[in-house]
C-alpha cells in the first residue's frame, strides 16, 4: 500500500545527543518536505527537496540538516539536540505536477 | 504574498448540529486552497482542495467548502457533526508558483463536538 512513514513516532532524548528522524514514502513522489509544528500552532516548512541530491531550506530557520540520496527516503538530522528543538516534526511528499501534499504521522521530539 | 487567516481558534458544537469553520485567504493570483484535518497523535489528512474548478468543493466525511472570490473566503462546513469530527482543522493556501509547491498553513481551528 502506498504510504508515507515516519520513525520514531516519539523520542525523548538528552541535550547534546545526535538524532535522525526517518521519513520514507512508497508513492514514488519526487518532492518531499519537513515541517515543524509546535503544540497548538501552525506548521512551518523547514526543509524541502525536489528530488535526489536536491535539498533546500524552508521558511523557518532550523539547525537541522537533511539529505536525499534515494527518492523514497528523506531523513532529518540534528547533530546536537537542545530543549529548543522540542517539537513535532511532520514529513510530507507530493508527486510531479501535483499540488496535494501527503503527510506522515509525525515524530514528537522531547529534548531534556 | 499568500496567506490564510482562520477566524476561530476554537469551535464547539453539539453532535448532529452544523459545523462552520471560517477561513479567509490573501493571494495575488488565483489560489489553490486546501483543508487538512489532524486528529490527536495522527498525521495530517487532506479533507478537500480547490484548484479553480467548481467553487463548491466536496470532500471526505461529509465536509464541503465554498470558494468565494468576492469575499476571499473558503469556509468549511458539514451539515451534521459527529463525535469523530473532533480534531484540529487547518486551512492552507499554495504559496509558490512553478515547481515550488509551497503550502502556507493557517493557525488551525480546534473543533470540539459534545454529545
Amino acid at each position: 500500500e502506498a504510504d508515507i512513514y515516519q520513525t520514531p513516532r516519539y523520542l525523548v532524548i538528552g541535550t547534546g545527543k545526535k538524532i535522525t528522524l526517518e521519513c520514507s514514502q512508497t508513492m514514488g513522489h519526487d518532492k518531499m518536505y519537513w515541517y515543524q509544528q509546535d503544540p497548538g500552532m501552525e506548521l512551518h516548512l523547514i526543509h524541502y527537496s525536489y528530488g535526489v541530491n536536491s535539498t533546500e531550506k524552508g521558511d523557518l530557520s532550523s539547525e537541522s540538516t537533511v539529505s536525499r540520496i534515494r527518492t523514497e527516503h528523506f531523513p532529518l538530522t540534528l547533530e546536537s539536540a537542545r530543549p529548543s528543538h522540542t517539537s513535532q516534526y511532520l514529513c510530507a511528499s507530493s508527486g510531479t505536477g501535483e499540488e496535494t501534499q501527503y503527510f506522515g504521522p509525525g515524530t514528537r521530539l522531547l529534548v531534556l | 504574498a499568500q496567506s490564510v487567516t482562520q477566524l476561530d481558534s476554537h469551535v464547539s458544537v453539539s453532535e448532529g448540529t452544523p459545523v462552520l469553520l471560517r477561513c479567509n485567504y490573501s493571494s495575488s493570483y488565483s489560489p489553490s486552497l486546501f483543508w487538512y484535518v489532524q486528529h490527536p497523535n495522527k498525521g495530517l489528512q487532506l479533507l478537500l482542495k480547490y484548484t479553480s474548478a467548481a467553487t463548491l468543493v466536496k470532500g471526505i466525511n461529509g465536509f464541503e467548502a465554498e470558494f468565494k472570490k468576492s469575499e476571499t473566503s473558503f469556509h468549511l462546513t458539514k451539515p451534521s457533526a459527529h463525535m469523530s469530527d473532533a480534531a484540529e482543522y487547518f486551512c492552507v493556501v499554495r504559496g509558490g508558483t512553478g515547481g515550488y509547491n509551497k503550502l502556507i498553513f493557517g493557525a488551525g481551528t480546534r473543533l470540539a463536538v459534545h454529545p
Side-chain angles (χ1 to χ4, degrees):
Chain A
E1 179 182 336
D3 210 336
I4 181 164
Y5 306 92
Q6 288 186 247
T7 57
R9 293 292 310 278
Y10 304 92
L11 179 61
V12 181
I13 202 163
T15 296
K17 299 292 185 183
K18 178 180 178 179
I19 60 171
T20 297
L21 308 185
E22 302 287 350
C23 176
S24 295
Q25 49 96 7
T26 58
M27 296 177 281
H29 286 167
D30 53 348
K31 297 183 181 66
M32 295 188 74
Y33 315 82
W34 275 104
Y35 291 86
Q36 185 173 341
Q37 183 187 26
D38 291 330
M41 303 294 286
E42 64 266 43
L43 280 72
H44 292 286
L45 182 70
I46 54 174
H47 298 283
Y48 64 97
S49 168
Y50 284 135
V52 171
N53 294 326
S54 153
T55 61
E56 301 286 345
K57 295 278 190 184
D59 299 324
L60 183 67
S61 176
S62 174
E63 294 169 344
S64 59
T65 59
V66 292
S67 62
R68 189 90 183 274
I69 299 173
R70 303 199 317 265
T71 299
E72 63 272 20
H73 196 212
F74 192 39
L76 181 146
T77 298
L78 278 165
E79 290 293 333
S80 180
R82 294 207 302 269
S84 60
H85 297 140
T86 294
S87 190
Q88 178 168 227
Y89 294 84
L90 288 156
C91 181
S93 70
S94 64
T96 302
E98 185 178 12
E99 295 176 316
T100 302
Q101 292 184 17
Y102 299 89
F103 285 81
T107 294
R108 288 187 184 274
L109 173 65
L110 173 61
V111 184
L112 301 174
Chain B
Q2 286 69 43
S3 67
V4 287
T5 302
Q6 292 184 243
L7 301 173
D8 308 290
S9 58
H10 291 83
V11 170
S12 181
V13 300
S14 298
E15 190 174 21
T17 64
V19 175
L20 170 64
L21 306 183
R22 299 182 295 164
C23 173
N24 285 359
Y25 70 90
S26 172
S27 177
S28 54
Y29 49 84
S30 183
S32 294
L33 293 157
F34 309 78
W35 276 99
Y36 280 86
V37 60
Q38 186 176 34
H39 287 94
N41 301 317
K42 296 280 183 66
L44 286 156
Q45 181 182 21
L46 179 69
L47 274 179
L48 51 80
K49 65 179 179 181
Y50 166 78
T51 55
S52 73
T55 55
L56 182 62
V57 182
K58 293 187 184 299
I60 62 171
N61 302 334
F63 284 94
E64 62 181 38
E66 186 171 8
F67 174 74
K68 291 187 176 181
K69 187 175 180 178
S70 60
E71 300 176 9
T72 61
S73 68
F74 190 57
H75 301 335
L76 182 71
T77 61
K78 183 173 181 178
S80 176
H82 192 272
M83 296 296 289
S84 61
D85 294 329
E88 186 94 19
Y89 291 79
F90 291 94
C91 183
V92 181
V93 64
R94 185 186 181 199
T97 57
Y100 182 15
N101 189 20
K102 172 181 177 178
L103 296 185
I104 297 169
F105 285 76
T109 298
R110 184 166 297 277
L111 175 66
V113 182
H114 302 288

